[in-house]
Amino acid sequence: MAGAGASGPRHTMADVARRAGVSTATVSRALTRPDQVSPKTRELVHEIAEELGFRPNLIGRQLRAQAANSLLILVQDLENPFYAELIKGAEYVARERQFSVVVGGTDGLEDVERLYAEQYLGRRVDGLILLTGHLPAGLSRKMAEQGPVVLVSEDNPELALCAVLVDNVGWAAQAVAHLHALGHRRIAHLCGPMARIISRERREGYRRALSQAGLPADPALEAPGDFSFETGRRATRALLALPDPPTAIFCANDESALGAIRAAQQVGLDVPRDLSVIGFDDTMLAEISDPPLTTIRQPRQQMGAVAAEMVIDMLENGPGQCARRILDCELVERSTVAAPAAKS
Amino acid sequence: MAGAGASGPRHTMADVARRAGVSTATVSRALTRPDQVSPKTRELVHEIAEELGFRPNLIGRQLRAQAANSLLILVQDLENPFYAELIKGAEYVARERQFSVVVGGTDGLEDVERLYAEQYLGRRVDGLILLTGHLPAGLSRKMAEQGPVVLVSEDNPELALCAVLVDNVGWAAQAVAHLHALGHRRIAHLCGPMARIISRERREGYRRALSQAGLPADPALEAPGDFSFETGRRATRALLALPDPPTAIFCANDESALGAIRAAQQVGLDVPRDLSVIGFDDTMLAEISDPPLTTIRQPRQQMGAVAAEMVIDMLENGPGQCARRILDCELVERSTVAAPAAKS
DNA sequence: TTGTATGCGTTATCAG
DNA sequence: CTGATAACGCATACAA
């Protein structure tokens, strides 16, 4: 019988109250606190409400409650598959706790950021989950620092905000150490866009691992990139044309790693026999890759879930202290890494 | 100076009014209808508002206006890259027209659908854009049919709803005709999940093209699938093991087409020399594919934009008649299609 | 041009 | 257990 009568004009509590011969207060109670109402009226009210197809107006409820029960997740780029699973994790937790989630893609545009900031300042959403690594334009630092705002995946050390992160430096170093352990000595790094802190952190991890392995730091082996397939391919082509080319590449993300693999294959090299490649993120691309990509897996779903939990906790228990949660990654070994070929 | 004073407790119009020595009505007017207020008070009010970091409470505004100025886009699966660009198109138009967009991923779960339906019935969003091909559980047909609801990409002939579509049958047929024109005679089809109408439409187009070309319909050449890479690969492996294998495959989407390519390569076949492959959608995967995938491009961004326009128009001008817009696709020729090899 | 008063739909408080 | 009332924050009709 769900959806019965759900046509025609929409009704308010006053309509239901009138038809039931009770007050709106009773209707409200019958619907939200059934135990505070006599079984008889309770049923009557439910019946009429059903008959009329009555739905409580959430805006009215929100105004009264002074809470929208909703979270805003801001991402740079909705098309990046990395974010989808993370959003899912957040949505799941939010749902469990009676919150809804609004997803906003800013494309890095200030005007758009400002619009979303307005939604927050205008209390249309209660809390903010930022995957952008920075405060949206229009939101002051002070305003954010004490509010229900959490940074995810991308840190910003200048901001004193709650955050859910992974140890990019550490896991990048692990990736490189993995290559070194197999015997690689010329290990290149395909960088991400340097404007983003995760790129700088992963490069830092690369450098640290080299130095711990006692390997020389060769600037020629640090190729600039921007996380894209095409740039990854071009950069790798250049790397392979070096007089003393690398035998392994640690890429700042999966998509650019696919570019690296392609570049190698196009000059007739076999991956992993002639070139080992390792990525970062473990997106869907890693499985589709040929051969399947060895990469560092981030616990995306969990990251989103924890972030939502943090924001909602702050909302319910007051700001509290800023927490910084560091979650664990995992090295997923597929088929793009092997010991280097013997020197010819 | 943006964001100045945006700390501390949040203020209401009453606060501003008090400090400015005017009424809340004047504050409201000064902020939203500046011309209806004397320049002097207008500036005074703006100044105080700025100083206090005042932001109008959008919930209050919405309750008063009886409109949330926001649209809900429902998708099955946020991880499907097909939807991201479409959402972007909708967001862009919405923004232009002062609407915000809420994105919801249902994963096909009824409970989740019901939750989103509640947001609509509870007037937290004014209109619905459905990429799911069906009404969310909890939303009755009558309720939707006269309201600001539009179906995108995935039709549902049983519902008399506005819709933004492409001619799946026609373009699938075009894809197959393209293969036929090059000389292919054994053309297979890798189907999508049959529960979805777009899958059935594309198969219909495949069949129609075969029959128009005077080619026999061979059930063995219709391989079941579900749009995934892995299934595409397995199905294609089976296809290639047939006594009289196809020389070309039309796949229901890009991801499964990549699976088809991989299957061919794994048994030592060259694409497109030994097997031609054509996809549908033109997602990012088509470019990353090796070789780059020939496919049918859907105007995703435009689809989202048109859908948003339709919903907002209905909201502003009353329901009006149900429109059905069919947008044009395009055959994007890359490198996975060639004439069949001469019979050995 | 400005102020007063009212209502949007809901729920909490308080009295009965 | 129930009803009357007030309040959430804003924007408008109306009066001044």
Side-chain angles (χ1 to χ4, degrees):
Chain A
M1 268 301 133
S7 169
R10 294 180 189 174
H11 300 278
T12 92
M13 278 194 175
D15 298 324
V16 179
R18 201 173 315 117
R19 290 272 282 253
V22 299
S23 74
T24 59
T26 300
V27 175
S28 175
R29 280 188 290 247
L31 264 27
T32 57
R33 278 158 176 48
D35 45 304
Q36 290 185 18
V37 137
S38 83
K40 219 177 101 180
T41 31
R42 187 197 314 153
E43 265 183 53
L44 176 62
V45 168
H46 275 112
E47 219 161 85
I48 308 252
E50 170 90 358
E51 183 186 326
L52 257 38
F54 165 77
R55 303 291 155 159
N57 181 313
L58 299 177
I59 310 263
R61 187 176 276 183
Q62 283 168 30
L63 181 59
R64 168 70 219 209
Q66 296 286 70
N69 273 259
S70 111
L71 266 32
L72 174 59
I73 301 191
L74 241 37
V75 310
Q76 307 258 14
D77 175 12
L78 265 180
E79 308 194 43
N80 186 331
F82 176 81
Y83 296 123
E85 210 182 326
L86 203 149
I87 291 170
K88 217 182 234 174
E91 274 185 334
Y92 183 79
V93 167
R95 201 150 43 229
E96 295 289 299
R97 300 183 64 171
Q98 323 271 27
F99 274 70
S100 62
V101 173
V102 179
V103 184
T106 65
D107 294 311
L109 299 174
E110 283 215 355
D111 286 350
V112 180
E113 291 185 3
R114 217 176 296 278
L115 238 38
Y116 283 115
E118 215 59 46
Q119 303 274 319
Y120 173 65
L121 295 169
R123 323 218 65 160
R124 256 186 67 156
V125 295
D126 310 300
L128 241 36
I129 296 180
L130 301 176
L131 307 190
T132 54
H134 62 265
L135 254 29
L139 188 60
S140 80
R141 185 180 302 204
K142 275 199 187 157
M143 177 99 257
E145 276 175 7
Q146 51 203 28
V149 177
V150 8
L151 246 30
V152 183
S153 164
E154 193 120 16
D155 195 13
N156 189 332
E158 297 184 22
L159 265 27
L161 291 177
C162 297
V164 181
L165 305 167
V166 299
D167 178 8
N168 281 295
V169 177
W171 285 97
Q174 289 263 343
V176 174
H178 179 62
L179 295 169
H180 178 256
L182 283 168
H184 291 278
R185 293 298 174 265
R186 292 280 294 166
I187 303 173
H189 177 44
L190 182 49
C191 300
M194 278 307 145
R196 297 182 55 178
I197 197 165
I198 51 175
S199 304
R200 298 198 294 275
E201 289 173 340
R202 289 170 196 175
R203 184 183 61 183
E204 171 61 20
Y206 162 76
R207 288 176 177 174
R208 188 173 299 179
L210 286 195
S211 111
Q212 281 181 356
L215 258 27
D218 180 350
L221 290 182
E222 284 184 10
D226 62 3
F227 283 157
S228 78
F229 177 84
E230 196 44 41
T231 303
R233 180 159 63 149
R234 267 204 295 272
T236 302
R237 201 183 308 154
L239 244 21
L240 295 175
L242 248 32
D244 187 8
T247 61
I249 305 187
F250 163 57
C251 302
N253 74 337
D254 287 349
E255 187 176 334
S256 66
L258 294 216
I261 293 171
R262 184 68 46 82
Q265 291 168 340
Q266 282 179 337
V267 297
L269 261 34
D270 180 84
V271 175
R273 189 170 40 87
D274 307 314
L275 182 74
S276 286
V277 176
I278 184 164
F280 208 108
D281 286 349
D282 194 29
T283 60
M284 166 192 79
L285 294 177
E287 295 187 57
I288 287 190
S289 163
D290 183 25
L293 183 68
T294 292
T295 187
I296 303 290
R297 170 152 186 46
Q298 296 197 54
R300 278 169 289 171
Q301 186 141 352
Q302 196 196 353
M303 290 166 81
V306 170
E309 251 159 23
M310 283 173 79
V311 176
I312 297 176
D313 282 347
M314 292 176 89
L315 251 16
E316 293 182 345
N317 314 328
Q321 266 324 305
C322 269
R324 294 172 71 76
R325 288 273 306 264
I326 310 290
L327 303 182
D328 267 338
C329 293
E330 182 190 352
L331 174 64
V332 180
E333 300 194 48
R334 295 203 180 85
S335 314
T336 53
V337 170
K343 278 259 173 155
S344 58
Chain B
M1 268 308 136
S7 169
R10 292 180 190 174
H11 301 279
T12 91
M13 278 195 176
D15 298 325
V16 179
R18 202 172 315 117
R19 291 272 282 253
V22 300
S23 73
T24 60
T26 300
V27 175
S28 175
R29 280 189 288 251
L31 263 27
T32 58
R33 281 163 174 43
D35 45 306
Q36 288 183 20
V37 137
S38 84
K40 221 178 101 180
T41 30
R42 186 197 315 152
E43 264 183 52
L44 176 62
V45 168
H46 276 112
E47 217 160 88
I48 308 254
E50 170 89 359
E51 182 187 327
L52 256 40
F54 166 77
R55 304 289 156 160
N57 180 314
L58 299 176
I59 310 261
R61 189 176 273 181
Q62 284 167 30
L63 182 60
R64 166 71 217 215
Q66 295 288 68
N69 273 258
S70 110
L71 266 32
L72 174 58
I73 301 191
L74 241 37
V75 311
Q76 307 256 17
D77 174 14
L78 265 178
E79 307 194 42
N80 185 330
F82 177 82
Y83 296 124
E85 211 182 325
L86 204 151
I87 290 170
K88 219 183 230 175
E91 274 186 333
Y92 183 80
V93 166
R95 202 148 45 227
E96 296 286 300
R97 300 183 65 171
Q98 323 271 26
F99 275 71
S100 62
V101 173
V102 179
V103 185
T106 66
D107 293 311
L109 300 174
E110 283 216 354
D111 285 351
V112 180
E113 291 185 2
R114 215 176 297 277
L115 238 37
Y116 283 115
E118 216 56 48
Q119 302 275 319
Y120 174 66
L121 295 169
R123 325 218 65 160
R124 254 184 72 153
V125 296
D126 311 299
L128 241 37
I129 296 181
L130 302 176
L131 306 189
T132 54
H134 63 263
L135 252 31
L139 187 59
S140 80
R141 187 180 301 205
K142 275 200 186 156
M143 178 99 257
E145 274 174 9
Q146 51 204 24
V149 177
V150 7
L151 244 31
V152 182
S153 164
E154 194 120 11
D155 196 13
N156 189 332
E158 297 183 24
L159 266 24
L161 291 177
C162 297
V164 181
L165 307 167
V166 299
D167 178 8
N168 280 296
V169 178
W171 285 97
Q174 289 262 342
V176 174
H178 179 63
L179 295 168
H180 178 255
L182 283 167
H184 290 278
R185 294 298 174 263
R186 293 276 300 163
I187 303 173
H189 176 44
L190 183 48
C191 300
M194 277 307 143
R196 296 183 55 178
I197 196 166
I198 51 175
S199 303
R200 299 197 295 272
E201 289 175 341
R202 289 170 195 174
R203 185 183 59 183
E204 170 62 20
Y206 161 77
R207 289 175 176 174
R208 187 173 299 179
L210 286 194
S211 112
Q212 281 180 355
L215 259 28
D218 180 350
L221 291 182
E222 283 184 9
D226 61 1
F227 284 158
S228 77
F229 176 85
E230 197 44 41
T231 303
R233 181 158 65 149
R234 267 202 294 269
T236 302
R237 200 183 309 155
L239 244 20
L240 294 175
L242 249 31
D244 186 8
T247 61
I249 305 186
F250 163 58
C251 304
N253 76 336
D254 287 350
E255 188 175 332
S256 65
L258 294 216
I261 294 172
R262 183 67 47 81
Q265 291 168 340
Q266 284 180 336
V267 296
L269 262 32
D270 180 84
V271 175
R273 189 168 43 88
D274 307 314
L275 182 74
S276 286
V277 176
I278 183 164
F280 209 108
D281 287 349
D282 195 29
T283 59
M284 165 190 81
L285 294 177
E287 295 186 57
I288 287 189
S289 164
D290 184 25
L293 182 69
T294 292
T295 188
I296 303 289
R297 170 155 186 41
Q298 295 196 54
R300 277 169 289 173
Q301 186 141 352
Q302 195 195 352
M303 291 166 80
V306 170
E309 252 159 21
M310 283 173 76
V311 177
I312 298 176
D313 282 346
M314 292 175 90
L315 251 14
E316 293 182 346
N317 316 328
Q321 266 324 307
C322 268
R324 292 172 72 77
R325 289 271 310 262
I326 311 290
L327 302 182
D328 269 338
C329 292
E330 182 189 353
L331 174 64
V332 180
E333 301 193 49
R334 294 204 179 84
S335 313
T336 53
V337 170
K343 279 254 171 159
S344 59

